[in-house]
Amino acid sequence: MDDYNTNVVFSNKHQISLKLPKEYWNSALDLLLSKGFYKRDVANAFLSLTDGNNFINFYSSGVLLIQGKDAQILKEEILKLVKLERVVVGCDEAGKGDVFGPLVLCCCILKPENFEKVLSLSPKDSKKIKDEELFRKIQALENLVEFRCIFLSPKELNQIYKEKPNLNRILDWGYLRLIKEVLKEYPDAKVTVDAYSHRNPFGSLASFEHKAEEKVEVACASMKARYEFLKWLKAHNLPKGASLEVMQMARRMLNQKNYEDFVKAFFLK
């Protein structure tokens, strides 16, 4: 999202990133066209508009980049188009594909009164955000939404895996527990889980959608889960991922008595 191809350099106050759900894109486009904006071609942007002084790029991730002296005014006008009628809940996980570290499942509860403020933080799928930005934003998010998470340490996960040797079925179990807990408190909430298999294991309790991180509430859950996962790795000075180098490091730990406290042992079988 760095290739926004303008010849103008703006200060931070004249450049704003905003998460806008795609169902509001047409309304935002109509608003901007009525204000004299016109379309232009910009590499990597799904859609780009300018009025000659301000520039707005729509990205496929749902992020809007607003640049120009009227950036703040344009942001406020676009946000007026956005309404959330009820509580929405998004769920995502982190650590599933990593040799070291926990499996973290999180659900984010987003209420209508905080919807605009959360959009202003431009939450993203945690796989598309740098760790430094994630750590900066998470505290602000925690002040605006509620998180419910299940944190399975490597030791706990290894034990569960012996009884239930399929990560997707473990995710089914964990998310069902979280969803029921959330719906008990917010029975009218709309719940969306980022899909990790082809079938919806939750029936009518939740929507099961691929690429659901485009939804604001799921992006927030993704960021929280990733934050908790990275915080654990940092505390134990262990690497991310499942590269050959990481696998070799994990195998060297096999002789340690407590290696299952740090390694997802089933990765090494």
Side-chain angles (χ1 to χ4, degrees), residues 104-228:
V104 187
L105 291 68
C106 286
C107 290
C108 166
I109 302 164
L110 176 53
K111 299 177 181 178
E113 58 265 31
N114 289 327
F115 193 42
E116 289 186 17
K117 292 178 182 177
V118 172
L119 293 177
S120 296
L121 290 174
S122 192
K124 305 172 189 174
D125 174 4
S126 63
K127 295 185 291 295
K128 298 178 180 178
I129 185 171
K130 293 181 179 179
D131 293 350
E132 297 80 8
E133 183 182 356
L134 174 61
F135 273 74
R136 279 200 313 271
K137 286 188 174 183
I138 197 68
Q139 185 174 357
L141 276 177
E142 288 176 332
N143 290 328
L144 294 171
V145 303
E146 294 179 38
F147 288 114
R148 305 289 169 83
C149 299
I150 290 177
F151 184 100
L152 296 175
S153 70
K155 186 174 183 178
E156 292 171 312
L157 184 59
N158 287 326
Q159 185 59 46
I160 294 171
Y161 196 87
K162 291 174 184 176
E163 303 168 6
K164 201 187 299 280
N166 185 306
L167 271 179
N168 283 348
R169 301 295 75 80
I170 294 173
L171 289 174
D172 293 348
W173 163 79
Y175 280 130
L176 186 59
R177 178 175 150 192
L178 284 174
I179 290 166
K180 286 183 175 179
E181 177 185 318
V182 169
L183 289 177
K184 188 175 181 180
E185 188 170 351
Y186 300 97
D188 297 324
K190 176 175 172 29
V191 181
T192 302
V193 179
D194 185 48
Y196 47 83
S197 61
H198 295 295
R199 66 176 184 85
N200 182 352
F202 310 115
S204 61
L205 293 178
S207 175
F208 197 62
E209 301 178 17
H210 292 280
K211 297 184 178 179
E213 300 98 334
E214 293 180 359
K215 291 181 177 288
V216 177
E217 60 272 25
V218 179
C220 292
S222 173
M223 290 173 66
K224 174 64 172 175
R226 186 70 175 168
Y227 167 75
E228 294 297 337

Side-chain angles (χ1 to χ4, degrees), residues 245-262:
E245 183 180 359
V246 172
M247 292 288 285
Q248 289 173 340
M249 180 180 176
R251 290 188 187 283
R252 287 195 297 269
M253 297 176 66
L254 283 174
N255 293 328
Q256 296 182 16
K257 185 177 180 180
N258 63 339
Y259 83 96
E260 286 200 10
D261 291 348
F262 306 100

Side-chain angles (χ1 to χ4, degrees), residues 4-19:
Y4 24 82
N5 290 357
T6 70
N7 296 318
V8 185
V9 177
F10 298 107
S11 65
N12 287 338
K13 68 179 181 179
H14 292 155
Q15 179 171 300
I16 293 172
S17 179
L18 172 71
K19 182 85 169 184

